[in-house]
Amino acid sequence: MNDTTIAPSGATQTPSENVRTISILGATGSIGDSTLAIVAHQPDRYKVIAVTGGSNAEKLATIARNTGAQIVAIADENKVSYLKEALADLPCEVLGGDEGVLQAARVPCEMTISSIVGFAGLGPTLAALDACRYLSLANKESLVCAGSLVMGEAAKKGVTVLPLDSEHNAIHQALLGDRIADVEMVTLTASGGPFRTWSRDDIAKAGPANALKHPNWSMGAKITIDSATLMNKGLEVIEAHHLFPIRHDQLDVVVHPQSIIHGMVSFVDGAVLAELGCPDMRTPIAHCMAHPHRIETEVERLSLTKISQLTFEEPDLERFPMLRIAKQGLAEGDVATNLINGANEVVVHHFLNENLSFYGMSEVVEKVLTLGLNQFNLSEGITSYEQAVTIDGFARSEATRIINSLT
Ligand code: NAD
Ligand code: MG
């Protein structure tokens, strides 16, 4: 009985003692770093099959050498010859361009870690559904842009989607063993970001240097800006809607500056189950990677007496309009959330280049959403990758046009 557990589906599973084969899409990023740290700490449990990167060929070459991955793909075509040369003494196959990344995503493995940032992760995530049994999903944008398509394809292909985002992983853990019908509310916590206590006037003047100083988490630049605007929490509410079969009005956001509670589920009997831990992505990643069990990690252990206080606040939608816009998008459906995501990726890029103000970002996203809602038929939803690309392309070109008209 000891090594037998009840899986989330209610099925009885006996764990395999075999080494788990994994592919890491976005291996050179922050989630990639944390995933590779777990592999390095548990070298007997994981065999890395394929790794991909965007443009950092030096880092990808080191990862390929350290892991012994058989397939190594870099999206930036200009870096392929460097990568081939750097790995010439190894028996791995080196691929390049978007097609190379897709090919790497299609290599059979037991688990894919989907951790490319942004819409660029959608194609590889869909491709991975043909290759893996478990999809550990960090790339929230793929659910925001085409959540019904991704979850529908996963179900069709018998792939289990494991939420890797810390809030969703917490909620997934809190739901284990319970019926969705007994859930009253699902709560995502938000740190509040670096501007939680700033006035609207001060936030209006904030630049990328201020916004990149996240109080609790160390992450890639895009998600760090999304955390400062609270768009990250908006994207996560949409992500939760696709991962867990609950109504929109059962999804709640609470600001919790210490980031110790990552997510909670309230049940019809008044019980609330939460997952707590130090804010370190290695915990939710390890939870996915060890599914359906757990593995030991080097994460700092939680001491509640050391922290002494856990505090909670309502999110302020006046100072953080991106959360309001994302919730509006959720109510409108997949087309709207795709438009919001595409526009958001563009405005974050311009904000990072000091080409757009903090509140300029939400103004542009809101304008693109209004334009897109007039342009596309919402009732159809998004049923193909090509459709997702069309709507994303519209959002990007409109956002760029509006920003150019401002400067
Ligand atoms: P990051 O910027 O550190 O890394 C992104 C990865 O994607 C890199 O490997 C990069 O090379 C690759 N990439 C970028 N553009 C690409 C392209 N066009 N084609 C192929 N590859 C490309 O980002 P991150 O912080 O690791 O976040 C990755 C994803 O995980 C995001 O969707 C983010 O929202 C999600 N996430 C991150 C964290 C975190 O703590 N960092 C937590 C929860 C969820
Ligand atoms: Mg998160």
Side-chain angles (χ1 to χ4, degrees):
M1 192 64 202
N2 283 349
D3 57 353
T4 308
T5 56
I6 303 301
S9 61
T12 302
Q13 289 196 352
T14 305
S16 98
E17 291 304 320
N18 296 340
V19 173
R20 177 164 271 177
T21 53
I22 65 167
S23 289
I24 311 171
L25 312 178
T28 56
S30 164
I31 293 291
D33 287 344
S34 299
T35 303
L36 289 162
I38 293 168
V39 173
H41 187 60
Q42 300 273 359
D44 300 336
R45 287 179 186 262
Y46 299 100
K47 179 170 169 50
V48 179
I49 300 292
V51 289
T52 79
S55 60
N56 190 342
E58 292 84 356
K59 185 167 179 180
L60 189 58
T62 305
I63 292 168
R65 199 164 280 285
N66 291 343
T67 57
Q70 297 155 15
I71 309 286
V72 186
I74 188 142
D76 185 344
E77 308 254 14
N78 299 321
K79 304 286 176 68
V80 183
S81 53
Y82 167 89
L83 197 58
K84 280 192 172 158
E85 213 169 294
L87 299 175
D89 59 321
L90 297 182
C92 61
E93 188 178 350
V94 177
L95 304 167
D98 291 343
E99 190 45 48
V101 172
L102 287 173
Q103 256 177 275
R106 286 194 199 104
V107 176
C109 61
E110 194 177 0
M111 178 178 287
T112 297
I113 314 289
S114 168
S115 58
I116 293 173
V117 63
F119 184 86
L122 175 60
T125 298
L126 287 169
L129 294 176
D130 287 323
C132 68
R133 186 170 164 213
Y134 299 108
L135 179 76
S136 295
L137 189 62
N139 175 241
K140 64 191 80 180
E141 293 91 346
S142 58
L143 291 185
V144 173
C145 293
S148 311
L149 177 66
V150 172
M151 296 306 287
E153 288 295 303
K156 225 188 281 172
K157 291 170 178 168
V159 175
T160 302
V161 178
L162 300 169
L164 189 150
D165 207 347
S166 57
E167 298 77 2
H168 306 74
N169 185 266
I171 292 160
H172 171 72
Q173 293 194 46
L175 280 171
L176 288 178
D178 274 294
R179 297 185 310 174
I180 283 287
D182 295 332
V183 172
E184 228 165 47
M185 283 304 283
V186 163
T187 305
L188 296 116
T189 57
S191 70
F195 304 137
R196 182 178 61 87
T197 59
W198 289 34
S199 70
R200 199 177 199 283
D201 287 349
D202 287 340
I203 297 174
K205 290 178 246 157
N210 311 103
L212 285 169
K213 279 190 207 129
H214 196 280
N216 302 340
W217 301 93
S218 158
M219 311 178 285
K222 192 256 175 187
I223 184 175
T224 305
I225 301 302
D226 285 346
S227 299
T229 62
L230 288 202
M231 177 55 100
N232 184 49
K233 216 46 56 181
L235 300 179
E236 289 184 351
V237 170
I238 299 163
E239 182 185 13
H241 157 74
H242 289 290
L243 288 169
F244 310 112
I246 48 169
R247 299 186 314 271
H248 296 175
D249 63 346
Q250 289 177 298
L251 281 165
D252 195 18
V253 172
V254 168
V255 174
H256 165 45
Q258 298 80 18
S259 297
I260 297 298
I261 298 179
H262 304 125
M264 330 180 227
V265 179
S266 315
F267 293 93
V268 287
D269 57 1
V272 181
L273 297 190
E275 185 262 349
L276 290 75
C278 291
D280 187 322
M281 284 309 292
R282 286 175 298 177
T283 296
I285 296 173
H287 186 260
C288 290
M289 287 174 70
H291 177 85
H293 303 296
R294 291 184 187 266
I295 45 172
E296 189 268 335
T297 71
E298 295 179 299
V299 169
E300 184 188 344
R301 282 3 183 200
L302 177 63
S303 162
L304 285 176
T305 47
K306 211 158 93 190
I307 291 164
S308 97
Q309 265 203 330
L310 300 181
T311 59
F312 305 93
E313 303 161 15
E314 286 288 339
D316 181 345
L317 302 184
E318 283 297 313
R319 286 183 303 136
F320 301 103
M322 288 291 212
L323 179 55
R324 172 181 56 73
I325 297 168
K327 282 182 168 176
Q328 185 196 333
L330 176 61
E332 305 269 11
D334 282 0
V335 172
T337 58
N338 184 323
L339 288 163
I340 288 170
N341 182 76
N344 184 59
E345 289 192 27
V346 172
V347 299
V348 168
H349 173 78
H350 282 270
F351 177 75
L352 282 169
N353 288 334
E354 303 196 42
N355 195 26
L356 189 63
S357 70
F358 188 90
Y359 289 119
M361 289 194 278
S362 45
E363 280 163 26
V364 173
V365 172
E366 202 153 26
K367 279 184 186 156
V368 172
L369 177 61
T370 307
L371 289 168
L373 293 182
N374 288 327
Q375 178 84 12
F376 297 103
N377 181 355
L378 297 188
S379 60
E380 279 178 14
I382 291 180
T383 52
S384 71
Y385 174 69
E386 291 68 28
Q387 214 182 345
V389 170
T390 303
I391 295 164
D392 174 73
F394 173 88
R396 282 169 197 272
S397 65
E398 286 302 308
T400 307
R401 184 185 59 74
I402 296 168
I403 294 166
N404 288 341
S405 74
L406 296 173
T407 46

